[in-house]
Amino acid sequence: MRQVLDAAAKGGYGVGAFNVNNMEQIQAIMEAARETQSPVIVQASRGARSYSQDNFLYHLMMAATELYPEIPTVLHQDHGNSPATCKSAIDMGFTSVMMDGSLMEDGKTPASFEYNVNVTRQVVEWAHAKGVTVEGEIGCLGGVEDGHGAGGDGLSHVTDPEEAERFVKATGVDALAIAIGTSHGAYKFNRKPDAEVLKMDVLIEIHRRLPKTHLVMHGSSSVPKQLQDVINQYGGKLKPTWGVPVEEIQLGIKNGVRKINVDTDNRLAITGAIRKVLLEKPEEFDPRSYMKPARDAMKKVVAERMRQFGQAGHASDYKAIPLKEMAARYAGETVGV
Ligand SMILES: [Zn+2]
């Protein structure tokens, strides 16, 4: 992932990181990447790894790299809750891991700065020795995703830029997730977010202090009304909600954001498409009759984000570096204080 993000920094664009649990979601992302000629980050949470029993996920991703050899593809562990989780991902072949030490191992209780530095630094040592990238988090996002999250609104634990600077120096992380008011899940904001609830000024200050650190925006689905409407039109019951507007993400990309996590938008697209088929054609019982439109709907959203984030057209800018060579590069760097 470090290579993908370095290239994105050089080119001034962002790269979407899309969550997966199953074959259709992986196919949707890879097809969108091929259509737009984009490098891509595929990520799996702990919940996704347990849903797919790890081995299904691993072999589906191997199939993706066989079928789409022209696409630089990252497999990233989303929100590792402990060094052990990150180690199991590295051992399995993930090329990037997130050690989220902003929370304790229960994935709920906000942790101390010292705890966060210790666990993250440990993972950086293991990961870099194998050429694997590490994302850390400082400050806590709001909401809960797959049972992981501090809960509450996004403003309870906004990242302190001075702490962010100390954290990166002490751990040597490649990428840094920051909390600027966003939350996981569908219910991020109860109105279109303004500067009061979405702290882009904090992001800009962190980038000023850490110009070489790749910033990561979590909870960055845009939750478009049109996707909510499809679900509700076909029997769903979503309450009105607002996500992070694409133009705010684009402002982030101008200020050091290189990885943008998107999950909810894809979930909405899939569910809307399935609801539509089941309601319009109650006689259908072949799962392909709704899984195929669901996959197409997700592909459409992913391709749109790839164009909006600027990664479209950059798949063939470079050749993926093997992990061994990455490990040698890390060995030449002085990491930590
Ligand atoms: Zn997240």
Side-chain angles (χ1 to χ4, degrees), residues 35-259:
E35 183 186 289
T36 61
Q37 281 300 297
S38 299
V40 71
I41 300 167
V42 178
Q43 59 185 14
S45 65
R46 271 190 303 145
R49 285 180 59 190
S50 102
Y51 179 83
S52 67
Q53 298 165 282
D54 268 357
N55 288 48
F56 280 109
L57 177 72
Y58 175 75
H59 288 281
L60 286 168
M61 286 306 299
M62 291 309 287
T65 59
E66 281 168 26
L67 292 168
Y68 302 85
E70 80 280 17
I71 305 294
T73 304
V74 175
L75 178 58
H76 174 79
Q77 163 81 57
D78 193 17
H79 289 286
N81 65 318
S82 66
T85 299
C86 294
K87 188 165 187 304
S88 70
I90 296 166
D91 290 345
M92 197 174 110
F94 279 63
T95 52
S96 177
V97 292
M98 175 185 193
M99 176 62 234
D100 181 359
S102 74
L103 300 174
M104 300 299 289
E105 200 167 332
D106 65 6
K108 289 180 178 65
T109 315
S112 70
F113 180 83
E114 290 70 28
Y115 170 88
N116 195 354
V117 166
N118 286 339
V119 289
T120 306
R121 205 183 155 142
Q122 170 70 76
V123 171
V124 168
E125 272 174 34
W126 291 339
H128 284 186
K130 301 216 163 164
V132 172
T133 310
V134 180
E135 173 184 338
E137 175 166 330
I138 186 89
C140 303
L141 269 89
V144 178
E145 182 183 32
D146 276 357
H148 183 104
D153 72 27
L155 294 174
S156 323
H157 306 278
V158 169
T159 305
D160 170 356
E162 188 271 328
E163 251 189 23
E165 196 177 349
R166 276 193 290 137
F167 181 77
V168 169
K169 286 210 174 103
T171 58
V173 288
D174 303 278
L176 183 67
I178 54 172
I180 53 167
T182 62
S183 301
H184 292 119
Y187 299 101
K188 300 182 193 300
F189 301 107
N190 52 18
R191 59 184 157 97
K192 189 172 187 234
D194 54 22
E196 220 172 281
V197 289
L198 183 61
K199 305 281 186 194
M200 295 306 289
D201 54 330
V202 172
L203 184 150
I204 290 166
E205 171 61 13
I206 294 169
H207 178 53
R208 191 187 66 78
R209 287 170 181 258
L210 294 165
K212 287 185 181 153
T213 303
H214 304 305
L215 301 182
V216 183
M217 281 176 81
H218 278 241
S220 289
S221 277
S222 300
V223 199
K225 184 168 183 305
Q226 175 258 329
L227 291 180
Q228 300 176 45
D229 287 348
V230 176
I231 290 183
N232 287 339
Q233 186 186 340
Y234 295 100
K237 279 187 181 156
L238 293 177
K239 291 176 281 178
T241 177
W242 282 262
V244 182
V246 168
E247 62 268 23
E248 299 288 355
I249 296 171
Q250 288 167 334
L251 174 64
I253 293 168
K254 286 200 182 83
N255 290 282
V257 171
R258 300 295 160 228
K259 175 172 179 276

Side-chain angles (χ1 to χ4, degrees), residues 252-315:
I253 293 168
K254 286 200 182 83
N255 290 282
V257 171
R258 300 295 160 228
K259 175 172 179 276
I260 304 104
N261 288 10
V262 175
D263 188 6
T264 296
D265 287 351
N266 294 326
R267 294 177 174 200
L268 292 172
I270 288 172
T271 300
I274 291 176
R275 281 193 168 279
K276 183 169 190 288
V277 174
L278 294 183
L279 220 88
E280 283 181 344
K281 299 178 186 164
E283 73 284 3
E284 275 292 357
F285 62 91
D286 180 345
R288 287 172 297 185
S289 71
Y290 50 86
M291 289 309 291
K292 198 168 176 302
R295 186 173 63 189
D296 291 345
M298 172 166 165
K299 178 197 158 187
K300 214 176 126 199
V301 172
V302 172
E304 192 184 9
R305 294 290 173 272
M306 287 170 160
R307 292 191 180 97
Q308 290 164 331
F309 298 162
Q311 74 206 83
H314 289 287

